[in-house]
Structures are given as C-alpha cells and as structure tokens.
C-alpha cells in the first residue's frame, strides 16, 4: 500500500500536480504584482526619480531574470524535446528573449521616465508570457510522459532561492521506487546540452523506458549499453549533438 502522503484524489487540491501549479501561480502573481507596483509610481512625482529607476533595474535584472532563467532550466528544458510541446517552448523562449533584451535596455536607461516606460512594456509582455506558462505549458507538462511537475516546480524554487541543481554523471535508480524512476531519468535528460550524456544504472533492462524516450524525444537521444546484466545494466543516455536543448 502506498504511504498515506502519496494518496490523493486526482485533479483536486490534494493532487501534487494541482498543488505544484498553484504554488507556481503564486510565484508568478508575486512577480507581476511587484512589477506593477513599481511601474505605478510616476517618476516626476517621486521625491527622487533615481530611486524609481534603481528599483526597477534591481527588480528586473535580479528577481525577474532569475525566474526566467529558472523556468527555462526546468519547465522549458523538460518540454523542449517532446513533439507536442516543442513549438510551445520555442514561442516561450522567444518572448523570454524579448524580456531579457528589454531588461538590458532598462539597465542602460539614463533617466527614470525612460526606465518606467520600458518597465511598463516589460510588464505587458510578462503578463502574456506567464499566462501561456500557466494556462498552456503547465497542463501540457502534467500529461507529458516522464515529466514530474511537482519535482520540476521544486527545482525551479531551488534555483529562485539561489540553490543549485544536481546534474550527476551517473543516475543510479536501483533504490528508487519504480513509479519515481522514469521522471528522475527524464529530468536528468532535460538538463543535458546537445552532445552531453549521463549513465543510467538499473537492475533490469529498461526497454519500456527506451520506448518512452522514443515517444517523447524521437531521434533526439542516444542509447548505448555499457553493461547488460544479469544483475546490473548500465546505459549511456545522451542528447544528440544536433538536437534542441
């Protein structure tokens, strides 16, 4: 029997995927709310226009950029190789690049009025960008083979807090419960750059996993047996050099 902490009713508040979406939505709301508050200040009415410019620059170059980077390394990286979400990720990365460019322009703004105008443009793009994440990407990740949304949101929160993600060269899943093995492996694959690889260690030949890889990342991965039983299997799994990361 599964531990009580793993018993939940799907698509309700007890579902870990629903809770993960809610937690990420809260983070997004906080970002939008902070930026909206800063852009509401009229620089000519402020006692010191420089303080307005400085606050906008600090927030956008700091907290906002950390979120964009963390989302790319976790949510986007996982969805980028799957046929059904690849174009969606490309679109999100395009608007993310637009935001990144405008943050550079904001940092170079010479006065508070210019900074506020740029920040309002950033706010408008960010609102649309986060809506696509929330309403399209997250539901797609819930149904994506090998994706573990609660784990991905947990990794995103780790990066936002200044932590680092483990990218081990060897992923040994022999002591991990069967239902948690594939999400762990897919999450490691998602963080590979083109041409990189890791070694999977398992206690059986993971043929079902290979079929899942072929379904989710057709022709974008490599699979090389290093050791083939009878008690231990080692497979070097990589991302094709020409594949999208």
């Amino acid at each position: 029997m599964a531990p009580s902490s793993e018993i939940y009713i799907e698509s309700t508040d007890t579902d870990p995927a629903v809770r993960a979406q809610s937690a990420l939505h809260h983070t997004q709301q906080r970002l939008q709310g902070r930026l909206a508050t800063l852009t509401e200040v009229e620089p000519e009415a402020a006692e010191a226009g420089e303080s307005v410019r400085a606050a906008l620059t600090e927030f956008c170059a700091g907290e906002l950029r950390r979120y964009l980077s963390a989302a790319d390394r976790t949510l986007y990286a996982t969805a980028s190789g799957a046929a059904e979400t690849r174009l969606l990720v490309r679109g999100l990365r395009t608007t993310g690049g637009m935001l990144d460019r405008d943050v550079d322009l904001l940092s170079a703004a010479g006065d508070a009025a210019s900074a506020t105008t740029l920040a309002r443009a950033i706010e408008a793009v960010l609102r649309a960008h986060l809506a696509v994440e929330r309403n399209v990407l997250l539901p797609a990740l819930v149904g994506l083979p090998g994706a573990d949304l609660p784990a991905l949101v947990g990794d995103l929160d780790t990066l936002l807090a200044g932590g680092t993600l483990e990218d081990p060269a060897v992923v040994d899943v022999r002591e991990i419960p069967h239902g948690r093995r594939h999400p762990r492996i897919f999450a490691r694959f998602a963080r590979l750059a083109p041409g990189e690889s890791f070694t999977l260690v398992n206690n059986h030949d993971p043929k079902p996993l290979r079929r899942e890889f072929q379904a989710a990342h057709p022709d974008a991965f490599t699979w090389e047996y290093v050791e083939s039983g009878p008690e231990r299997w080692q497979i070097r799994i990589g991302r094709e050099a020409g594949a999208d990361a």
Side-chain angles (χ1 to χ4, degrees):
M1 180 179 294
S4 59
S5 60
E6 297 182 3
I7 296 175
Y8 60 88
I9 300 174
E10 190 172 349
S11 300
T12 69
D13 289 342
T14 63
D15 186 336
V18 172
R19 295 171 67 179
Q21 291 181 76
S22 177
L24 185 59
H25 187 194
H26 177 75
T27 298
Q28 293 174 336
Q29 286 181 315
R30 182 170 50 78
L31 282 172
Q32 288 182 248
R34 175 61 175 154
L35 185 54
T37 298
L38 289 171
T39 56
E40 284 173 358
V41 178
E42 295 295 338
E44 60 272 14
E47 293 183 3
E50 175 59 24
S51 66
V52 176
R53 190 188 69 81
L56 286 169
T57 301
E58 180 182 5
F59 172 79
C60 291
E63 189 172 353
L64 175 56
R65 230 172 204 162
R66 281 195 300 273
Y67 175 85
L68 295 172
S69 175
D72 190 276
R73 291 189 60 195
T74 54
L75 306 178
Y76 301 0
T78 298
S80 63
E84 59 265 51
T85 48
R86 186 177 295 121
L87 290 178
L88 172 61
V89 170
R90 287 179 183 174
L92 284 166
R93 282 176 168 164
T94 296
T95 53
M98 293 169 56
L99 289 165
D100 200 53
R101 178 204 62 199
D102 285 349
V103 170
D104 282 338
L105 293 173
L106 174 62
S107 298
D111 57 78
S114 297
T116 300
T117 298
L118 279 166
R120 287 171 179 165
I122 290 171
E123 182 189 4
V125 175
L126 179 65
R127 187 182 305 113
H129 181 83
L130 295 181
V132 174
E133 280 188 1
R134 182 169 60 252
N135 299 322
V136 185
L137 180 62
L138 295 188
L141 282 169
V142 170
L144 192 66
D148 183 341
L149 185 60
L152 291 173
V153 173
D155 286 346
L156 186 148
D157 287 341
T158 295
L159 292 172
L160 290 180
T164 58
L165 303 181
E166 292 185 4
D167 292 327
V170 176
V171 177
D172 189 338
V173 298
R174 289 175 294 178
E175 300 301 321
I176 298 175
H178 283 276
R180 298 179 181 175
R181 291 184 181 186
H182 289 196
R184 180 77 59 88
I185 296 163
F186 274 95
R188 179 66 186 94
F189 177 81
R191 293 199 289 271
L192 292 178
E196 290 184 342
S197 65
F198 67 96
T199 299
L200 168 66
V201 181
N202 206 350
N203 52 15
H204 66 273
D205 188 353
K207 292 179 180 178
L209 174 68
R210 186 172 188 172
R211 289 194 291 269
E212 286 190 25
F213 262 97
Q214 187 57 45
H217 305 282
D219 304 319
F221 72 100
T222 60
W223 184 280
E224 177 189 357
Y225 283 94
V226 178
E227 182 179 1
S228 300
E231 295 182 355
R232 183 174 70 171
W233 273 258
Q234 293 191 70
I235 299 95
R236 187 174 294 112
I237 301 173
R239 187 184 291 276
E240 285 281 10
D244 291 338

